[in-house]
Amino acid sequence: MIQSTNLPIGIFDSGVGGTSIWKEIVTLLPSESTIYLSDSANAPYGNKTKDKIIELSIKNTEILLEHNAKLIIVACNTATTNAIKVLREKYNVPFIGIEPAIKPAALKTTTKVIGILATKGTLNSKLFENTSSTIDQKIIRKEVTGTGLVELIENGKINSPEMTKLLRSYLIPLLNENADCLVLGCTHYPYLIPQIRNIVGHKIQIIDSGEAVARQTKAVLDKHQLLNLSNTNVKYEFFINKNKNVLKQLVSGKGITIHQKVF
Ligand code: DGL
């Protein structure tokens, strides 16, 4: 019988962005195998209804469970903020989610203005509203919908003039409004950090939740006695339901297999 500690961690996102979380997992938990679903055929989730996001999140979860995932990381702010409650009620496996790191930003800001770049689905969600109500209400939250950013990343246009133009249109107003923290509320956005830096310089701290998700994953695996400390045959399987070239550019290394498959 396969020991449950040897089973893989399941990860899903609307597309390739969740690989920014996968990288943090591999760094912190090098003995864990992973199965990653990139639902790129349905990206972006950010413009979809809550019901549709729940339906897609259930579909992804079922596939990961068929692959015996011992824990599932919802590596997507939009899916977490809209669907994780339903997933936790429906399935027994532990779930780790990701939401915009506005609490750390609220502690770091000195100008008391923070920018939050996220999808429409995340910014409109109840979970985001609840989390926002827990921070100091004197802090001004400038919420910016990153329309078009996920699509450009999914199409392999991270470093393109279109991307620079869009990012400038979203970020320059934040500089003018004296924001000193920028929360990246979408797992695709860490791939934009070099470009964001070019635009905002060092006037704004960039805050994302990737490392915190990896630490939380470790703690939950430990709590459920599912941590794998000694695996010498680590495998990283990726499934993508669209052209796999963009994914291939983002992940590389030993143990990786990428399958292009309809799901
Ligand atoms: N990576 C997803 C997130 O974190 C992108 C959402 C989308 O597909 O719109 O929100």
Side-chain angles (χ1 to χ4, degrees):
M1 202 178 102
I2 312 173
Q3 279 224 321
S4 48
T5 52
N6 278 333
L7 296 174
I9 294 175
I11 306 173
F12 78 83
D13 180 36
S14 61
V16 297
T19 56
S20 65
I21 303 297
W22 172 79
K23 288 177 184 173
E24 300 287 352
I25 296 293
V26 170
T27 305
L28 189 69
L29 298 165
S31 299
E32 299 289 348
S33 292
T34 61
I35 301 217
Y36 182 101
L37 290 190
S38 175
D39 193 12
S40 300
N42 290 301
Y45 281 11
N47 306 333
K48 294 187 167 39
T49 62
K50 184 179 169 79
D51 283 350
K52 186 69 191 172
I53 297 168
I54 291 174
E55 182 194 313
L56 293 167
S57 300
I58 287 177
K59 173 202 62 146
N60 296 331
T61 299
E62 302 261 337
I63 298 169
L64 291 172
L65 291 177
E66 279 162 24
H67 284 87
N68 295 319
K70 62 181 175 182
L71 169 146
I72 292 179
I73 303 175
V74 182
C76 175
N77 291 257
T78 314
T80 300
T81 52
N82 286 278
I84 203 161
K85 192 165 174 280
V86 175
L87 298 178
R88 286 191 170 129
E89 280 161 8
K90 198 169 157 66
Y91 302 100
N92 272 331
V93 69
F95 284 93
I96 306 290
I98 178 162
E99 39 172 330
I102 53 175
K103 286 185 187 176
L107 298 174
K108 284 186 176 147
T109 179
T110 54
T111 61
K112 304 291 175 201
V113 184
I114 62 174
I116 305 147
L117 186 62
T119 69
K120 187 169 140 214
T122 295
L123 294 173
N124 288 344
S125 69
K126 190 80 197 140
L127 185 58
F128 180 72
E129 186 190 320
N130 290 346
T131 309
S132 299
S133 71
T134 64
I135 67 166
D136 178 354
Q137 295 303 298
K138 288 197 282 299
I139 292 171
I140 299 168
R141 299 186 308 273
K142 296 282 174 193
E143 296 172 9
V144 184
T145 304
T147 308
L149 299 178
V150 167
E151 290 90 325
L152 286 176
I153 295 169
E154 288 293 319
N155 287 308
K157 293 185 174 169
I158 292 178
N159 293 303
S160 62
E162 297 106 292
M163 182 65 87
T164 310
K165 196 169 163 216
L166 263 188
L167 282 174
R168 286 182 66 82
S169 74
Y170 297 147
L171 299 173
I172 294 195
L174 292 177
L175 282 175
N176 294 338
E177 283 156 339
N178 209 19
D180 63 352
C181 289
L182 173 68
V183 177
L184 300 185
C186 170
T187 54
H188 283 68
Y189 300 166
Y191 287 113
L192 304 176
I193 289 175
Q195 292 220 56
I196 294 174
R197 262 287 157 250
N198 277 342
I199 298 167
V200 303
H202 287 277
K203 292 195 192 104
I204 292 188
Q205 273 194 71
I206 300 171
I207 301 172
D208 84 278
S209 328
E211 254 186 79
V213 169
R215 282 197 303 273
Q216 175 71 357
T217 303
K218 186 174 181 189
V220 173
L221 285 175
D222 196 16
K223 184 175 144 211
H224 291 268
Q225 296 177 325
L226 289 170
L227 257 185
N228 196 337
L229 299 167
S230 60
N231 190 356
T232 48
N233 185 24
V234 176
K235 290 194 190 116
Y236 304 119
E237 278 202 278
F238 290 82
F239 291 88
I240 182 160
N241 50 14
K242 225 177 158 181
N243 189 309
K244 64 181 176 187
N245 288 341
V246 175
L247 186 55
K248 268 169 85 180
Q249 283 162 24
L250 299 178
V251 297
S252 58
K254 202 168 159 254
I256 290 180
T257 330
I258 302 181
H259 312 267
Q260 192 173 316
K261 195 171 176 258
V262 176
F263 60 85

